Every structure is written in structure tokens, then in C-alpha cells.
């Protein structure tokens, strides 16, 4: 599949919505569903080509969605808020717990360009040669290749659902010539899908991508608008290191004031100022241990 790549698009109003027929067309056969998922990926590829998109922020927020789906596969109760707390409120020496480890794995998988080393950092329980072997599984079109990798990992390691999904996303990115993992499959699949094989698994992956890509495109448009507003108000900030703080907000799903490169009191004031300017949101609804994000 060949994707067109625009030379330069900077008008936020030009971020296109997913064509309605992609998500509303009723398709049953593998061929028809594959056509729809291909159209969805083509559309997302154009969106990801934009220079005005906060790519790292989008991947980090999609990583949160993927982690939320994975902990649900494991029957755990944690959702987005608890996952953020488990990672962003960690103190030196603390352990993130199983749910936090899941979120950290997805963040690590998406934050660096796809490579065996980066994937090994996300999945330290597996040897680099094992990861490379799984990624070399199969050939063919993007979704078929991702499904083959997913099936291969789960055949060798039936309880390694998260690793299988991360490596399937990596295979998808490689075939699409994306530099980074863009978490999509996990949020659209369910645990029963992961027990499927062959054409049934490919069909499930195509369906998962149709819904997940539509959500990713909506999220990309929203984050692009929010990031543009944050950049617009940044010159109004007078605090020392405020530029570095803004850059953190533009690349991370959530930020604790204590993580900002300034004294705690100044960091809290900066966060309050950004909330007043409508540039970031307080994500927890708490009066203490707050987290902020675009």
C-alpha cells in the first residue's frame, strides 16, 4: 500500500476527520474489512505527516489507552487515572506495581524510534534475539504482518499478551514506515480476540484498527488545537525555565508539578497560571497530588 505524504500542512482547520463511510460501512468479509482498515490507516498516515501535530504527546496518550486496555485484559480494576498516578507520582525507590509496569512498558515502546534495543527496554523480560525473531515473522501487508507477529508471540508465550501487542504494533509501524510505535491495536481488541488465529485474528485486527484509528484521528485533531494554544500563551509566562516546562507538557500525557525543572512552589504557580489561561487541564480533580496535561 502506497501512502501520499504532503509537503507541508500547517492550518489546524485542515486536519481532516475520518470519512464517515470508513466507520459506518457494514462489512463482513475479510477483504471488505481489510479495505476499510487500509483506508483508515491511509488517513491516519496523512495526519501523522503533519508538522503541527504534537507527535510525542499523541503517542503518549495512545500508550495510556493501550495500557488501560491491557490491564483490563488481566482483570485488573485500574483505569487511566490510576495508571497516571502509578507512574507520575512515583518517588525514588518506589515500585509502580503491575498496572504501572504495564503503562511504563507502553510508554517506553512508543517514546523512541522502533528498534530492537528500544523494544527490549520496554520488554526487559525477553532477549533481544527473541524479539528480533518474532518481528521477522511473516510477510505481506501491514495488518496481516501485525497479526502474524501477534499470533507467533502468543503461540510461544501464551500469557504474554502485552508483549505480543507491543511487538505487533512495532511490526505494523515498520511495514508502514513509521519511525515510532503508534499504539492502536490494543484499544480495539478484546481478550477473546487474542485467542484467535489465522484469518479470524486478521479480521479482528482489521476491525480493531478501524475503530482505533478513528479515535486516534479525533485525538490528534484535539491535541493539535490544544498544543497550538499552549504555544500561543507560552510568551506570557515569565517564570524561569517556563519554556522547558512547556516542552514537557507538549510531549507527555500528564505532568506532576514536582517533575517540572523549577522549585516546587514556582511549578505549582506555573501550573495554576496555565490552567487559568486554558492551556492545560488539571487531570485528577484532587486538591493535592495533582497532575496536569494538555
Amino acid at each position: 500500500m502506497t501512502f501520499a505524504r504532503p509537503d507541508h500542512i500547517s492550518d489546524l482547520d485542515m486536519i481532516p476527520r475520518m470519512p464517515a463511510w470508513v466507520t459506518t460501512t457494514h462489512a463482513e468479509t475479510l477483504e471488505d474489512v481489510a479495505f476499510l482498515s487500509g483506508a483508515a490507516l491511509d488517513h491516519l498516515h496523512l495526519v501523522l505527516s503533519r508538522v503541527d501535530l504534537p507527535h510525542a504527546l499523541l503517542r503518549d496518550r495512545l500508550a495510556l489507552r493501550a495500557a488501560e486496555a491491557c490491564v483490563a485484559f488481566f482483570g485488573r480494576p485500574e483505569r487511566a487515572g490510576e495508571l497516571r498516578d502509578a507512574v507520575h507520582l512515583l518517588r525514588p525507590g518506589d515500585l509502580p506495581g503491575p498496572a504501572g509496569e504495564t503503562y511504563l512498558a507502553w510508554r517506553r515502546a512508543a517514546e523512541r524510534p522502533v528498534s530492537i534495543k528500544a523494544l527490549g527496554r520496554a520488554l526487559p523480560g525477553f532477549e533481544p534475539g527473541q524479539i528480533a525473531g518474532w518481528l521477522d515473522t511473516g510477510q505481506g501487508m501491514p495488518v496481516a504482518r501485525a497479526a502474524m507477529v501477534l499470533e507467533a508471540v502468543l503461540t510461544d508465550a501464551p500469557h504474554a499478551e502485552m508483549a505480543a501487542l507491543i511487538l505487533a504494533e512495532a511490526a505494523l509501524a515498520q511495514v508502514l514506515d513509521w519511525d515510532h510505535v503508534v499504539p492502536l491495536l490494543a484499544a480495539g481488541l478484546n481478550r477473546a480476540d487474542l485467542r484467535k488465529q489465522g484469518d479470524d485474528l486478521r479480521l479482528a485486527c482489521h476491525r480493531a484498527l478501524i475503530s482505533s484509528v478513528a479515535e486516534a484521528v479525533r485525538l490528534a485533531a484535539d491535541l493539535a488545537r490544544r498544543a497550538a494554544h499552549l504555544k500561543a500563551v507560552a510568551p506570557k509566562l515569565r517564570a524561569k525555565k517556563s519554556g522547558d516546562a512547556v516542552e514537557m507538557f507538549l510531549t507527555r500525557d500528564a505532568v506532576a508539578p514536582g517533575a517540572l525543572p523549577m522549585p516546587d512552589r514556582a511549578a505549582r504557580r506555573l501550573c495554576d497560571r496555565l490552567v487559568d489561561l486554558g492551556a492545560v487541564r488539571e487531570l485528577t480533580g484532587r486538591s493535592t497530588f495533582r497532575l496536569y496535561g494538555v
Side-chain angles (χ1 to χ4, degrees), residues 1 6-7 12 25 28 33 96 115 125 133 137 170 186 192 195 205 215 218 229 241 253 256 260-261 272 278 292:
M1 186 179 297
D7 294 330
L12 291 175
T25 300
E28 293 293 341
V33 177
S115 69
T137 300
R195 303 303 167 214
C205 288
E215 178 57 31
R218 287 192 292 268
H229 181 55
K241 296 284 189 178
D253 164 69
L260 296 175
D272 290 341
Y292 298 83

Side-chain angles (χ1 to χ4, degrees), residues 40-86:
L41 286 170
D42 191 7
H43 188 86
L44 178 61
H45 187 85
L46 293 175
V47 171
L48 294 178
S49 299
R50 297 180 61 93
V51 297
D52 51 23
L53 183 67
H55 291 85
L57 175 57
L58 175 63
R59 293 194 306 272
D60 203 31
R61 195 148 291 175
L62 290 174
L64 176 64
R65 291 180 65 231
E68 190 175 23
C70 280
V71 297
F73 292 162
F74 307 147
R76 298 190 62 88
E78 293 90 348
R79 294 299 178 262
E82 291 86 357
L83 291 172
R84 283 173 171 146
D85 286 352

Side-chain angles (χ1 to χ4, degrees), residues 181-261:
V181 166
V182 180
L184 297 168
L185 282 166
L189 293 170
N190 58 50
R191 192 165 190 177
D193 290 329
L194 300 183
R195 303 303 167 214
K196 296 176 180 177
Q197 296 179 326
D199 285 350
D200 289 339
L201 180 58
R202 285 194 286 277
L203 181 63
C205 288
H206 283 299
R207 291 191 186 283
L209 284 169
I210 293 168
S211 60
S212 291
V213 168
E215 178 57 31
V217 169
R218 287 192 292 268
L219 180 59
D222 181 57
L223 291 178
R225 287 190 295 269
R226 292 178 180 276
H229 181 55
L230 175 56
K231 292 176 183 178
V233 305
K236 300 179 181 180
L237 306 174
R238 296 291 179 260
K240 188 177 181 180
K241 296 284 189 178
S242 59
D244 293 337
V246 166
E247 184 61 27
M248 290 178 67
F249 283 113
L250 289 172
T251 57
R252 301 184 186 185
D253 164 69
V255 179
L260 296 175

Side-chain angles (χ1 to χ4, degrees), residues 18 44 156 177 180 196 282:
M18 181 77 70
L44 178 61
D156 293 343
D177 199 27
H180 292 76
K196 296 176 180 177
E282 201 288 311

Side-chain angles (χ1 to χ4, degrees), residues 85-171:
D85 286 352
V87 169
H88 296 292
L89 298 181
L90 274 180
R91 296 179 179 179
D94 286 351
L95 297 176
E101 288 286 2
T102 299
Y103 183 22
L104 283 172
W106 278 104
R107 295 188 78 212
R108 289 167 180 160
E111 69 185 0
R112 298 185 181 184
V114 178
S115 69
I116 300 302
K117 183 177 180 180
L119 292 169
R121 180 171 173 266
L123 302 170
F126 298 95
E127 295 294 328
Q130 195 173 24
I131 292 173
W134 280 326
L135 280 181
D136 285 340
T137 300
Q139 296 179 348
M141 300 299 283
V143 182
R145 172 82 179 280
M148 290 178 192
V149 172
L150 185 61
E151 184 173 343
V153 177
L154 290 175
T155 298
D156 293 343
H159 301 295
E161 291 94 344
M162 182 186 68
L165 287 163
I166 286 176
L167 294 178
E169 302 278 17

